[in-house]
Coordinates of all heavy atoms in Angstrom, one line a residue:
M1 N 83.2 110.5 115.0 CA 83.4 110.6 113.6 C 82.8 112.0 113.1 O 81.8 112.4 113.5 CB 82.7 109.5 112.9 CG 82.9 109.4 111.4 SD 82.3 108.0 110.5 CE 82.9 106.7 111.4
I2 N 83.5 112.6 112.2 CA 83.1 113.9 111.7 C 82.5 113.6 110.3 O 83.0 112.8 109.5 CB 84.3 114.8 111.6 CG1 85.0 115.0 112.9 CG2 84.0 116.1 110.9 CD1 86.3 115.7 112.9
I3 N 81.5 114.4 109.9 CA 80.9 114.3 108.6 C 81.3 115.5 107.8 O 81.1 116.6 108.3 CB 79.3 114.2 108.7 CG1 78.9 113.0 109.6 CG2 78.7 114.1 107.3 CD1 79.3 111.7 109.1
E4 N 81.8 115.3 106.6 CA 82.3 116.3 105.8 C 81.5 116.4 104.5 O 81.5 115.4 103.8 CB 83.8 116.1 105.5 CG 84.5 117.2 104.9 CD 86.0 116.8 104.8 OE1 86.7 117.0 105.8 OE2 86.4 116.3 103.7
P5 N 80.9 117.5 104.1 CA 80.1 117.5 102.8 C 81.1 117.7 101.7 O 82.1 118.4 101.8 CB 79.3 118.8 103.0 CG 79.9 119.6 104.0 CD 80.7 118.7 104.9
V6 N 80.9 117.0 100.6 CA 81.7 117.0 99.4 C 80.9 117.3 98.2 O 79.8 116.8 98.0 CB 82.4 115.6 99.2 CG1 83.2 115.5 97.9 CG2 83.2 115.2 100.4
T7 N 81.4 118.2 97.3 CA 80.8 118.5 96.1 C 81.8 118.2 95.0 O 82.9 118.6 95.0 CB 80.4 120.0 96.0 OG1 79.6 120.3 97.1 CG2 79.8 120.4 94.7
V8 N 81.3 117.4 94.0 CA 82.2 117.0 92.8 C 82.3 118.2 91.9 O 81.4 118.8 91.5 CB 81.5 115.8 92.1 CG1 82.4 115.5 90.9 CG2 81.3 114.7 93.0
E9 N 83.6 118.5 91.7 CA 83.9 119.7 90.9 C 84.6 119.4 89.6 O 85.1 120.4 88.9 CB 84.8 120.7 91.7 CG 84.1 121.2 92.9 CD 84.9 122.1 93.8 OE1 86.1 122.2 93.5 OE2 84.4 122.7 94.7
G10 N 84.8 118.2 89.2 CA 85.4 117.8 87.9 C 84.8 116.6 87.3 O 83.9 116.0 87.9
E11 N 85.2 116.4 86.1 CA 84.6 115.2 85.3 C 85.5 114.0 85.6 O 86.7 114.1 85.9 CB 84.6 115.5 83.8 CG 83.6 116.6 83.5 CD 83.6 116.9 82.0 OE1 84.4 116.4 81.3 OE2 82.7 117.6 81.6
F12 N 84.9 112.8 85.4 CA 85.6 111.5 85.6 C 86.1 111.3 87.0 O 87.2 110.8 87.2 CB 86.7 111.3 84.5 CG 86.2 111.5 83.1 CD1 86.5 112.6 82.4 CD2 85.3 110.6 82.6 CE1 86.0 112.8 81.1 CE2 84.8 110.7 81.3 CZ 85.2 111.8 80.5
I13 N 85.3 111.8 88.0 CA 85.7 111.6 89.4 C 84.9 110.5 90.0 O 83.7 110.4 89.8 CB 85.4 112.9 90.2 CG1 86.1 114.1 89.5 CG2 85.7 112.8 91.6 CD1 87.6 114.1 89.6
T14 N 85.6 109.6 90.7 CA 84.9 108.5 91.4 C 85.0 108.7 92.9 O 85.8 109.6 93.4 CB 85.6 107.2 91.1 OG1 87.0 107.2 91.5 CG2 85.6 106.9 89.6
V15 N 84.2 108.0 93.7 CA 84.2 108.1 95.1 C 85.6 107.7 95.6 O 86.2 108.4 96.5 CB 83.1 107.3 95.7 CG1 83.2 107.3 97.3 CG2 81.8 107.8 95.3
S16 N 86.2 106.6 95.1 CA 87.5 106.2 95.6 C 88.6 107.2 95.3 O 89.5 107.4 96.1 CB 87.9 104.8 95.0 OG 87.9 104.9 93.6
L17 N 88.5 107.9 94.2 CA 89.5 109.0 93.9 C 89.3 110.1 94.9 O 90.3 110.7 95.3 CB 89.3 109.5 92.5 CG 90.2 110.6 92.0 CD1 91.7 110.2 92.0 CD2 89.8 111.1 90.6
I18 N 88.1 110.5 95.2 CA 87.9 111.6 96.2 C 88.5 111.1 97.6 O 89.2 111.9 98.3 CB 86.4 111.9 96.4 CG1 86.0 112.6 95.1 CG2 86.1 112.8 97.6 CD1 84.5 112.8 95.0
V19 N 88.3 109.9 98.0 CA 88.9 109.4 99.2 C 90.4 109.4 99.2 O 91.0 109.9 100.1 CB 88.3 107.9 99.5 CG1 89.1 107.3 100.7 CG2 86.9 108.0 99.8
W20 N 91.0 109.0 98.1 CA 92.4 109.0 97.9 C 93.0 110.4 98.0 O 94.0 110.7 98.7 CB 92.9 108.3 96.6 CG 94.4 108.4 96.5 CD1 95.1 109.2 95.7 CD2 95.3 107.6 97.2 NE1 96.4 109.0 95.8 CE2 96.6 108.0 96.8 CE3 95.2 106.6 98.1 CZ2 97.8 107.4 97.2 CZ3 96.4 106.0 98.6 CH2 97.6 106.4 98.1
R21 N 92.3 111.4 97.3 CA 92.8 112.8 97.3 C 92.7 113.4 98.7 O 93.4 114.3 99.1 CB 92.0 113.6 96.3 CG 92.4 113.3 94.9 CD 91.7 114.1 93.9 NE 92.1 113.8 92.5 CZ 91.5 114.4 91.5 NH1 90.5 115.2 91.6 NH2 92.0 114.1 90.2
R22 N 91.7 113.0 99.5 CA 91.5 113.6 100.8 C 92.4 113.0 101.8 O 93.0 113.8 102.6 CB 90.0 113.3 101.2 CG 89.7 113.6 102.7 CD 89.8 115.1 102.9 NE 89.3 115.4 104.3 CZ 90.0 115.3 105.4 NH1 91.2 114.9 105.3 NH2 89.5 115.7 106.5
F23 N 92.7 111.7 101.8 CA 93.5 111.1 102.8 C 94.9 110.7 102.4 O 95.8 110.5 103.2 CB 92.8 109.9 103.4 CG 91.5 110.2 104.0 CD1 90.3 110.0 103.4 CD2 91.5 110.8 105.3 CE1 89.1 110.3 104.0 CE2 90.3 111.1 105.9 CZ 89.1 110.8 105.2
R24 N 95.2 110.6 101.1 CA 96.5 110.2 100.5 C 97.0 108.9 101.1 O 98.2 108.7 101.2 CB 97.5 111.3 100.8 CG 97.3 112.6 100.2 CD 97.5 112.5 98.7 NE 97.3 113.8 98.1 CZ 97.1 114.0 96.8 NH1 97.1 113.0 96.0 NH2 96.9 115.2 96.3
R25 N 96.1 108.0 101.4 CA 96.5 106.6 101.8 C 95.2 105.7 101.7 O 94.1 106.3 101.7 CB 97.0 106.6 103.3 CG 96.0 107.1 104.3 CD 96.7 107.2 105.7 NE 95.8 107.8 106.6 CZ 95.0 107.1 107.5 NH1 95.0 105.8 107.5 NH2 94.2 107.7 108.3
P26 N 95.4 104.4 101.7 CA 94.3 103.5 101.6 C 93.4 103.7 102.9 O 93.9 103.8 104.0 CB 94.9 102.1 101.5 CG 96.3 102.4 101.1 CD 96.7 103.7 101.6
M27 N 92.1 103.7 102.7 CA 91.2 103.8 103.8 C 90.2 102.6 103.6 O 89.1 102.8 103.0 CB 90.4 105.1 103.8 CG 91.3 106.3 103.9 SD 92.1 106.4 105.5 CE 90.7 106.8 106.6
P28 N 90.5 101.4 104.1 CA 89.7 100.3 103.9 C 88.3 100.5 104.4 O 88.1 100.9 105.5 CB 90.4 99.2 104.6 CG 91.8 99.6 104.8 CD 91.7 101.1 104.8
G29 N 87.3 100.2 103.6 CA 85.9 100.2 104.0 C 85.2 101.6 103.9 O 84.0 101.7 104.0
L30 N 86.0 102.7 103.6 CA 85.4 104.0 103.6 C 84.5 104.2 102.4 O 83.5 104.9 102.6 CB 86.5 105.1 103.7 CG 86.0 106.5 103.9 CD1 85.2 106.6 105.2 CD2 87.2 107.5 103.9
V31 N 84.9 103.7 101.3 CA 84.0 103.9 100.1 C 82.7 103.2 100.3 O 81.6 103.8 100.0 CB 84.7 103.3 98.8 CG1 83.8 103.3 97.6 CG2 86.0 104.1 98.5
E32 N 82.7 102.1 100.9 CA 81.4 101.4 101.2 C 80.6 102.1 102.2 O 79.4 102.2 102.1 CB 81.7 99.9 101.7 CG 82.3 99.0 100.6 CD 83.8 99.2 100.4 OE1 84.4 100.0 101.2 OE2 84.3 98.6 99.5
Q33 N 81.3 102.7 103.2 CA 80.6 103.5 104.2 C 80.0 104.7 103.6 O 78.9 105.1 104.0 CB 81.6 103.9 105.3 CG 81.1 104.2 106.6 CD 82.2 104.5 107.7 OE1 83.3 104.6 107.3 NE2 81.8 104.5 108.9
I34 N 80.6 105.4 102.7 CA 80.1 106.5 102.0 C 78.8 106.1 101.2 O 77.8 106.8 101.3 CB 81.1 107.2 101.0 CG1 82.2 107.8 101.9 CG2 80.5 108.2 100.1 CD1 83.4 108.2 101.0
H35 N 78.9 105.0 100.5 CA 77.7 104.5 99.8 C 76.5 104.2 100.8 O 75.4 104.4 100.4 CB 78.0 103.4 98.9 CG 78.7 103.8 97.6 ND1 78.1 104.4 96.6 CD2 80.0 103.7 97.3 CE1 78.9 104.6 95.6 NE2 80.1 104.2 96.0
D36 N 76.8 103.6 101.9 CA 75.8 103.3 102.9 C 75.2 104.6 103.5 O 74.0 104.6 103.7 CB 76.4 102.5 104.1 CG 76.7 101.1 103.7 OD1 76.2 100.6 102.6 OD2 77.5 100.4 104.4
M37 N 76.0 105.6 103.7 CA 75.5 106.9 104.2 C 74.7 107.7 103.2 O 73.9 108.6 103.6 CB 76.6 107.8 104.7 CG 77.3 107.3 106.0 SD 78.6 108.4 106.5 CE 77.7 109.9 106.8
N38 N 74.9 107.5 101.9 CA 74.3 108.3 100.9 C 73.5 107.5 99.9 O 74.0 107.1 98.9 CB 75.4 109.1 100.2 CG 76.2 110.0 101.1 OD1 75.7 111.1 101.4 ND2 77.4 109.6 101.5
P39 N 72.3 107.1 100.3 CA 71.5 106.3 99.4 C 71.3 107.0 98.1 O 71.1 108.2 98.0 CB 70.2 106.1 100.1 CG 70.3 106.8 101.4 CD 71.6 107.5 101.5
G40 N 71.4 106.3 97.0 CA 71.2 106.9 95.7 C 72.5 107.3 95.0 O 72.6 107.6 93.8
L41 N 73.6 107.4 95.8 CA 74.9 107.8 95.2 C 75.4 106.8 94.1 O 75.9 107.2 93.1 CB 75.9 107.9 96.3 CG 77.3 108.5 95.9 CD1 77.1 109.9 95.5 CD2 78.3 108.4 97.1
S42 N 75.1 105.5 94.3 CA 75.5 104.5 93.4 C 74.7 104.6 92.1 O 75.1 104.0 91.1 CB 75.4 103.1 94.0 OG 74.1 102.8 94.4
E43 N 73.6 105.2 92.1 CA 72.8 105.4 90.9 C 73.5 106.2 89.8 O 73.1 106.2 88.6 CB 71.4 106.0 91.2 CG 70.5 105.0 92.0 CD 69.2 105.7 92.5 OE1 68.9 106.8 92.0 OE2 68.5 105.0 93.3
F44 N 74.4 107.0 90.2 CA 75.2 107.8 89.2 C 76.1 107.0 88.4 O 76.6 107.4 87.4 CB 76.0 108.9 89.9 CG 75.2 110.0 90.6 CD1 75.3 110.3 91.9 CD2 74.2 110.7 89.8 CE1 74.6 111.3 92.5 CE2 73.5 111.7 90.4 CZ 73.7 112.0 91.7
G45 N 76.5 105.8 88.9 CA 77.4 104.9 88.2 C 78.8 105.2 88.7 O 79.0 105.7 89.8
A46 N 79.8 104.7 87.9 CA 81.2 104.8 88.4 C 81.7 106.2 88.5 O 82.4 106.6 89.5 CB 82.1 104.0 87.5
F47 N 81.3 107.1 87.6 CA 81.8 108.5 87.6 C 80.7 109.4 88.1 O 79.5 109.3 87.6 CB 82.2 108.9 86.2 CG 83.4 108.1 85.7 CD1 83.2 107.2 84.7 CD2 84.7 108.3 86.2 CE1 84.3 106.5 84.2 CE2 85.7 107.5 85.8 CZ 85.5 106.6 84.7
L48 N 81.0 110.2 89.1 CA 80.0 111.1 89.6 C 79.8 112.3 88.7 O 80.8 112.9 88.2 CB 80.4 111.5 91.0 CG 80.6 110.4 92.0 CD1 81.2 110.9 93.3 CD2 79.3 109.7 92.3
P49 N 78.6 112.8 88.6 CA 78.5 114.0 87.7 C 78.9 115.3 88.5 O 79.0 115.4 89.7 CB 76.9 114.1 87.5 CG 76.4 113.4 88.7 CD 77.4 112.3 89.1
V50 N 79.4 116.3 87.7 CA 79.8 117.5 88.2 C 78.6 118.2 89.0 O 77.5 118.2 88.5 CB 80.3 118.5 87.1 CG1 80.6 119.9 87.7 CG2 81.5 117.9 86.4
G51 N 78.9 118.6 90.2 CA 77.9 119.2 91.1 C 77.2 118.3 92.0 O 76.4 118.7 92.9
A52 N 77.5 117.0 91.9 CA 76.9 116.0 92.8 C 77.5 116.3 94.2 O 78.6 116.6 94.4 CB 77.2 114.6 92.4
T53 N 76.6 116.1 95.2 CA 77.1 116.3 96.6 C 76.7 115.1 97.4 O 75.8 114.4 97.2 CB 76.4 117.6 97.3 OG1 75.0 117.4 97.3 CG2 76.7 118.8 96.5
F54 N 77.6 114.8 98.4 CA 77.4 113.7 99.3 C 78.1 114.0 100.6 O 79.0 114.9 100.7 CB 77.8 112.4 98.7 CG 79.2 112.3 98.4 CD1 80.1 111.8 99.3 CD2 79.7 112.7 97.1 CE1 81.5 111.6 98.9 CE2 81.0 112.5 96.7 CZ 81.9 112.0 97.7
N55 N 77.8 113.2 101.6 CA 78.5 113.4 102.9 C 79.6 112.3 103.1 O 79.3 111.1 102.7 CB 77.5 113.3 104.1 CG 76.6 114.4 104.1 OD1 77.0 115.6 103.9 ND2 75.3 114.2 104.4
M56 N 80.8 112.7 103.5 CA 81.8 111.7 103.7 C 82.2 111.7 105.2 O 82.5 112.7 105.8 CB 83.1 112.1 102.9 CG 84.2 111.2 103.0 SD 85.6 111.4 101.9 CE 86.0 113.1 102.1
P57 N 82.2 110.5 105.8 CA 82.7 110.4 107.2 C 84.2 110.5 107.2 O 84.9 110.0 106.4 CB 82.2 109.0 107.6 CG 82.1 108.2 106.3 CD 81.8 109.2 105.3
V58 N 84.7 111.3 108.2 CA 86.1 111.4 108.4 C 86.5 110.8 109.7 O 86.1 111.3 110.8 CB 86.5 112.9 108.4 CG1 88.0 113.1 108.6 CG2 86.1 113.6 107.0
P59 N 87.2 109.7 109.7 CA 87.6 109.1 111.0 C 88.5 110.0 111.8 O 89.3 110.7 111.3 CB 88.4 107.8 110.5 CG 88.1 107.7 109.1 CD 87.7 109.0 108.5
V60 N 88.2 110.0 113.1 CA 89.0 110.8 114.0 C 90.2 110.0 114.4 O 90.1 108.8 114.7 CB 88.2 111.1 115.3 CG1 89.0 111.8 116.3 CG2 86.9 111.8 115.0
P61 N 91.4 110.6 114.2 CA 92.6 109.8 114.5 C 92.7 109.5 116.0 O 92.4 110.3 116.9 CB 93.7 110.8 114.2 CG 93.1 112.1 114.0 CD 91.7 111.9 113.8
R62 N 93.1 108.3 116.3 CA 93.3 107.8 117.6 C 94.7 108.1 118.1 O 95.6 108.2 117.4 CB 93.1 106.3 117.7 CG 91.6 105.9 117.5 CD 91.5 104.4 117.6 NE 91.6 103.8 116.3 CZ 91.9 102.6 116.1 NH1 92.1 101.7 117.1 NH2 92.1 102.1 114.8
A63 N 94.8 108.3 119.4 CA 96.1 108.5 120.0 C 96.9 107.2 119.9 O 96.4 106.1 120.1 CB 96.0 109.0 121.4
P64 N 98.2 107.3 119.6 CA 99.0 106.1 119.6 C 99.1 105.4 120.9 O 99.1 106.1 122.0 CB 100.4 106.6 119.1 CG 100.4 108.0 119.4 CD 99.0 108.5 119.4
A65 N 99.1 104.1 120.9 CA 99.2 103.4 122.2 C 100.6 103.6 122.8 O 101.6 103.7 122.1 CB 99.0 101.9 121.9
V66 N 100.6 103.8 124.1 CA 101.9 104.0 124.8 C 102.4 102.6 125.3 O 101.7 101.9 126.0 CB 101.7 104.9 126.0 CG1 102.9 105.1 126.8 CG2 101.1 106.3 125.6
L67 N 103.6 102.3 124.8 CA 104.1 101.0 125.2 C 105.2 101.1 126.2 O 105.9 102.2 126.3 CB 104.8 100.4 123.9 CG 103.8 100.2 122.7 CD1 104.6 99.7 121.5 CD2 102.7 99.2 123.1
D68 N 105.3 100.1 127.1 CA 106.4 100.1 128.1 C 107.7 100.0 127.4 O 107.8 99.2 126.4 CB 106.1 99.0 129.1 CG 104.9 99.2 129.9 OD1 104.6 100.4 130.2 OD2 104.3 98.2 130.3
P69 N 108.8 100.6 127.9 CA 110.1 100.4 127.3 C 110.6 99.0 127.4 O 110.3 98.3 128.4 CB 111.0 101.4 128.0 CG 110.2 101.8 129.2 CD 108.8 101.5 129.0
I70 N 111.3 98.6 126.4 CA 111.9 97.2 126.4 C 113.3 97.3 127.0 O 114.1 98.1 126.6 CB 111.9 96.6 125.0 CG1 110.5 96.5 124.4 CG2 112.6 95.3 125.0 CD1 110.5 96.1 123.0
K71 N 113.6 96.4 128.0 CA 114.9 96.4 128.6 C 115.6 95.2 128.0 O 115.1 94.0 128.2 CB 114.8 96.3 130.1 CG 114.1 97.6 130.7 CD 114.0 97.4 132.2 CE 113.3 98.7 132.7 NZ 113.1 98.6 134.2
L72 N 116.7 95.4 127.4 CA 117.5 94.3 126.8 C 118.3 93.6 127.8 O 118.7 92.4 127.6 CB 118.4 94.8 125.7 CG 117.6 95.5 124.5 CD1 118.6 96.0 123.5 CD2 116.6 94.5 123.9
W73 N 118.7 94.2 128.9 CA 119.5 93.6 129.9 C 118.9 93.8 131.3 O 118.3 94.7 131.6 CB 120.9 94.1 130.0 CG 121.7 93.6 128.8 CD1 122.4 92.5 128.7 CD2 121.9 94.3 127.5 NE1 123.0 92.4 127.5 CE2 122.7 93.5 126.7 CE3 121.4 95.5 127.0 CZ2 123.0 93.8 125.4 CZ3 121.8 95.8 125.7 CH2 122.6 95.0 125.0

């Protein structure tokens, strides 16, 4: 897993919005993982202040599983 530093650069930004903008797809459990890695992040409330920094884990993509070909006959 790679750790990526993030700095909030706009107003009305939430952790889940940052995750969505970074990955462009649902990432189940990542917001909770970010809060676990960054104690005190939840003290800011729903919206993070401009200039707040935290570390975000970036999952390493796994290689797709290789399947045996299916023979119909």
Side-chain angles (χ1 to χ4, degrees):
M1 185 175 309
I2 302 168
I3 304 298
E4 191 174 277
V6 176
T7 302
V8 178
E9 297 179 352
E11 294 182 351
F12 305 109
I13 303 293
T14 62
V15 174
S16 59
L17 179 62
I18 290 172
V19 169
W20 178 259
R21 287 181 179 175
R22 170 65 172 82
F23 297 103
R24 296 286 183 201
R25 62 186 174 96
M27 298 294 290
L30 189 59
V31 171
E32 292 81 6
Q33 202 173 13
I34 291 170
H35 282 284
D36 289 342
M37 288 182 62
N38 299 281
L41 188 63
S42 60
E43 293 176 8
F44 291 127
F47 299 108
L48 301 172
V50 175
T53 59
F54 62 92
N55 293 321
M56 179 170 56
V58 178
V60 178
R62 290 183 268 160
V66 177
L67 301 175
D68 293 330
I70 298 173
K71 297 178 182 178
L72 300 177
W73 288 273

